[in-house]
Amino acid sequence: MNSSELPDPAELADAVSRGERAALATALNLLDDRRSESRQCAAQFLARLQQDESCAGGRLIGITGPPGAGKSSLTAALITVWRQRGLRVGVLAVDPSSPVSGGALLGDRLRMKTSSDDDGVFVRSLACRGEFGGLSAEVWPMSLVMLAAFDVTLIETVGVGQREIDVSRMCDTTCYVAQPGSGDSVQFLKAGILEVPHILVVNKEDMGAVARRTLSELGAAMNREHSDGHWQVPVLSASATRGSGIEALADAMEQHHEMLLARNELGPRRQRYQAQWILKRLLDEFGSFGIERLGGEREIFDQLQVQDLALFEQYEQLRQRTVGFYNDIQPVL
Amino acid sequence: MNQKTVQRDRPWLMRTYSGHSSATASNELYRMNLSKGQTGLSVAFDLPTQTGYDSDHPLARGEVGKVGVPISHIADMESLFDQIPLGQMNTSMTINATAPWLLALYVAVAERQGVDPSQLQGTTQNDVLKEYLSRGTYIFPPEPSVRLTTDLIAYTVDNIPKWNPTNICSYHLQEAGATPTQELAYALSTAIAILDAVQASGQIAQERFQAVVGRISFFVNAGIRFVEETCKMRAFGRMWDTMAQERYGVDDPKQRRFRYGVQVNSLGLTESQPENNVQRIVLEMLAVTLSKNARARAIQLPAWNEALGLPRPWDQQWALRMQQVLALETDLLEYGDLLDGSPMVEAKVQELIVGAEAEMARVAEQGGMVQAIESGYVKRELVQSHTRRMRNIESGDLKIVGVNCFQETAQSPLTSGTDAGIMKVNVQAERDQIVALQAFRAARSQGEVDASLAQLRAAAADGANIMPSSIVCARAGVTTGEWSEVLRDVFGEYRAPTGIDISMVGQTGSAALDDVRERVRKTGEELGRPLRLLIGKPGLDGHSNGAEQIAVKGRDAGFEIVYEGIRLTPAQIARAAQEEGAHLIGLSVLSGSHLELVEDIYGELEKIGVSGVPLIIGGIIPEDDARQLKDQGVAAVFTPKDVDMNAIMADMVDVIRRANGLEAYA
Ligand code: B12
Ligand SMILES: Nc1nc2c(ncn2[C@@H]2O[C@H](COP(=O)(O)OP(=O)(O)O)[C@@H](O)[C@H]2O)c(=O)[nH]1
Ligand SMILES: [Mg+2]
């Protein structure tokens, strides 16, 4: 995208809300763009998008777990079920990138190949470019775009540890996929990240005994309420390749979503998470100097939480203010 | 010595892998080849037939009759063998996912010719595991595929006893970059997977199992390092003998013979100075003939113009004559084994065996060949080997005459003709085939077709041997697409691992690579985000080497790579480019259908509103076609003579720069 061809933020937001594929692609490219004029345009676009009801609804689901556990395959199977239920699905698949060249192989899409003429599915791959504890800085704003256009937005991330925490700080519902037989999963859960997933699923149940063993180990470890409260973490069994257990998995996700809605938690949760993201982003862009000038982390965070102005509008205002500080101190040449 | 008294061994079976345009045209070709002294038939099928589509399926567009003969039903099969008595013929069919179906058609045609099917002789390749790793014409997931393989084996052992039901292939593995050790290890691990599956299927009585082992034959490769390759053949023989005896308890040594056919290496045959390929082919043939105790049963040779396009009849004749000169003019067949007792040879054989056994153990540890394929392990190992090979060619450590040394050449008279030295398939063939197919469908009894398909579906679902119902379908006039569709429905379809997620091979920093990385990084910065390359393999083409190597190199150079493997539709590629925000679409097409596919992709891009994303293509693209593609808007065309991968990367960066209004580096 040449800077001369930056899209009109308002028009773009409207087109995204209407679910237009070409607009969606343009928006995602814009959010990925690091040039400052593009960032400005992106912020305006997001602010406008947030005024639209659409991105306050939908379901934002994180799917995580060790490499090879079958996250992408399960995603593909879930897409089929969701499509049968009449839901439109957007996917953000995050793959690791090479520290040496910065290059990346984005392989998740391969497993998600779905009907090629289905407008109800959109898959975007992202390289985690070594930021945000492994999650691309772009994931979050991109998830808002997806939420605006689709009924379900799913974020796949790989790895064990920090990244799970990141993804769970971004999504309404987090699902952990365990690989049968690998001690990893149990280890991981014992390592104190038990709070993270809302749903546990042991994939590859077609492997038989070994999958059943892992299921019972995890079941024993997880028979407890989620730290969010009001939620018993289900431990499920499925096979992405056989297509078994997928309906039940989709049902569990739906139940969690309904619980959030019923308890009126969806809005506040997203607000809180988004405030955290904005802080990170400001820090990233302007450093601690900028944050201090705006009154410090705590102050900004609290402000973002209470005001009912759309978050990205606030973000845009904060950005303008910070840019203003810089302009003030710029020597006149 | 008196010539008459000299005892000569019987020569091996001489074949030419061929088939094109239509059953009738291929039949003429076969009869001509037989009259030239060829002693067996080797049928090349077109890609729709190999992947289970009828000629009029949208995915078949541009592929009908191109790289082989289209066989959609019994009437096609009947024309293919018109005036060729099947009772006396030895026919090899390179067919895998649809092998039970093509054998069923062959049996049905034999019946019509009045030949008792139990007399039939020949081979179905029927080794689907290597399709996931190299050849690419798989359809179903591994488990049901292995079941179809074992069904065919079990059926022929009882009903067509002289048939070679499967040809375990290491040929294709070398073509995908495998080392001799890997070839040995993966072919033998495949044999274990298949034999174990036959045993587990319970279709063969224990006392007949030895006969099954005895019917297993192999199809191997012979590369230019012909001494090592000879040793590999001796290693194969020994390892197979031990395995048959120890693992499967075969006590008759004759049933433990390593029987194999060969196609010599084609990956090393070059587009530059293509006449040099003749020397390569002859030397490679020595590898599988020199040692009498490890000699091939059947040989087919590629032609000098392998890397240019499809061979013409004269090119194939030349390849056949190479075999005839070796077998009939030289004294090779007058001697016993020339290498027995050589300590050099023995040491090399041992080294290969030890290496292969270690790799087989790694595969076994993972649960066997099927699991090691599903997990992506074997494919990654192959891609890694091929990446090493490409690096060595680039660096000059691996010398290829005319490619990375001695590039200067006089004008070649071989390629200067009006046909540029290759065969052009008549475009009318596809249309004719479709008309004939539709007429055939209209004329058959639909009731009979439906009934036989119902029988097939029942067998597929309840686990009965697939052959009897397939033969009923063949007689009833079922088509290739219909047979496959029923099984797709019951078994599902599969996408194999791409193997490109290898860790980086021997990161020797070169100035050229550093330079390219810098350009990729800088251009990404100028355009606001890292450069993203979508590599697409449209159509039915399974040649993945080039796409894989570009993907691996692209990542090394700093691109973000999206590559979804083989056999995507133009619509899927266009959508992926849009969804992924690609800066560049790079297609790889080696099957010859590049003109149709590029046209379709442009159409799809326009349909979904993607503009300004440049498109490049690599593969077997004749010069005339390259010009035509560029006229259509393709920004760059690469062919096998572009071996400098850094230069390709730099070109890609420039294509992106130009498309975005930036000044190109070069
Ligand atoms: C290796 C090979 C195979 C292997 C493929 C293994 C694999 N997984 O890739 C095997 C043995 C399986 C195979 C099978 C077949 N093959 Co084959 N095969 C070849 C061979 C010998 C080499 C191709 C190769 O891999 N080269 C190495 C790679 C690295 O080079 P490359 O792909 O050309 O890529 C380079 C450039 O072209 C460029 N490039 C390529 N793609 C891209 C993409 C981008 C984005 C960019 C920038 C650059 C780029 O960069 C690369 C770097 O140098 C060629 C002949 C030849 N010598 O070229 C025949 C050839 C391609 N095969 C051919 C045929 C007919 C077949 C079959 C269809 C035969 C049949 N009837 O069954 C089968 C079926 C395959 C299928 N499913 O489609 C024909 C195609 C005829 C035509 N186009 O007119 C050829 C030309 C041989 C011939 N003369 O008959 N084959
Ligand atoms: N047996 C079996 N294999 C599966 C299943 N789901 C995925 N796989 C395989 O596991 C491997 C990794 O799958 P993928 O979805 O890419 O995993 P991811 O890395 O977690 O996204 C692939 O080879 C899949 O074919 C399953 O349910 N059963
Ligand atoms: Mg994945």
Side-chain angles (χ1 to χ4, degrees), chain B residues 17 50 67 134-135 266 269 306 309 542-545 588 590 642:
Chain B
Y17 184 41
Q50 296 189 52
V67 297
S134 166
R135 203 169 164 281
S266 319
L269 301 181
E306 169 77 12
H543 291 92
S544 58
N545 288 337
S588 184
L590 282 83
D642 298 303

Side-chain angles (χ1 to χ4, degrees), chain A residues 2 21 25 29 33-35 98 101 103-106 109-111 113 116 119 123-125 129, chain B residues 143 495 500 504 526-530 532 555-556 558-561 564 572 575 578-581 660:
Chain A
N2 289 332
R21 299 177 64 85
N29 293 346
D33 195 326
R34 287 147 190 223
R35 289 170 297 187
S98 150
S101 63
L105 299 169
L106 307 170
R109 200 186 169 84
L110 165 71
R111 299 254 157 256
K113 184 188 133 182
S116 57
D119 272 329
V123 178
R124 173 76 164 213
S125 312
R129 300 167 186 144
Chain B
E143 198 183 290
R495 298 192 65 69
I500 56 173
M504 275 194 257
E526 285 171 73
L527 295 178
R529 58 195 174 100
R532 193 166 265 216
R555 179 190 61 168
D556 276 16
F559 284 94
E560 291 185 357
I561 305 289
E564 294 183 81
Q572 286 169 326
R575 284 193 171 232
Q578 182 179 54
E579 294 181 11
E580 299 293 358
N660 286 279

Side-chain angles (χ1 to χ4, degrees), chain A residues 246-316:
Chain A
I246 311 300
E247 296 267 353
L249 178 58
D251 289 344
M253 290 170 167
E254 194 57 29
Q255 277 155 19
H256 187 251
H257 178 71
E258 270 158 21
M259 184 276 286
L260 292 177
L261 283 182
R263 303 194 53 80
N264 249 328
E265 278 184 22
L266 197 60
R269 174 187 291 241
R270 286 193 186 163
Q271 182 99 359
R272 192 163 65 243
Y273 291 169
Q274 288 169 11
Q276 283 168 356
W277 177 81
I278 289 173
L279 258 178
K280 271 195 163 179
R281 190 84 194 226
L282 288 171
L283 192 66
D284 186 37
E285 219 174 332
F286 302 108
S288 43
F289 173 75
I291 298 289
E292 284 316 311
R293 292 295 302 261
L294 287 168
E297 256 185 64
R298 194 70 252 164
E299 171 71 21
I300 305 172
F301 189 71
D302 290 345
Q303 256 178 31
L304 286 169
Q305 292 270 64
V306 289
Q307 295 195 6
D308 18 76
L309 198 56
L311 276 168
F312 276 99
E313 221 154 296
Q314 293 189 48
Y315 169 54
E316 188 46 29

Side-chain angles (χ1 to χ4, degrees), chain A residues 180-236:
Chain A
S182 76
D184 300 2
S185 301
V186 179
Q187 282 309 321
F188 156 73
L189 290 167
K190 285 190 180 144
I193 317 183
L194 274 162
E195 298 76 31
V196 173
H198 301 105
I199 296 165
L200 274 168
V201 56
V202 178
N203 187 33
K204 311 193 186 183
E205 67 178 3
D206 52 287
M207 285 169 69
V210 56
R212 284 194 296 277
R213 195 162 56 245
T214 305
L215 185 69
S216 78
E217 280 168 16
L218 282 179
M222 279 309 298
N223 194 7
R224 59 189 297 264
E225 203 179 86
H226 195 271
S227 60
D228 287 354
H230 313 286
W231 179 250
Q232 281 297 124
V233 177
V235 182
L236 307 173

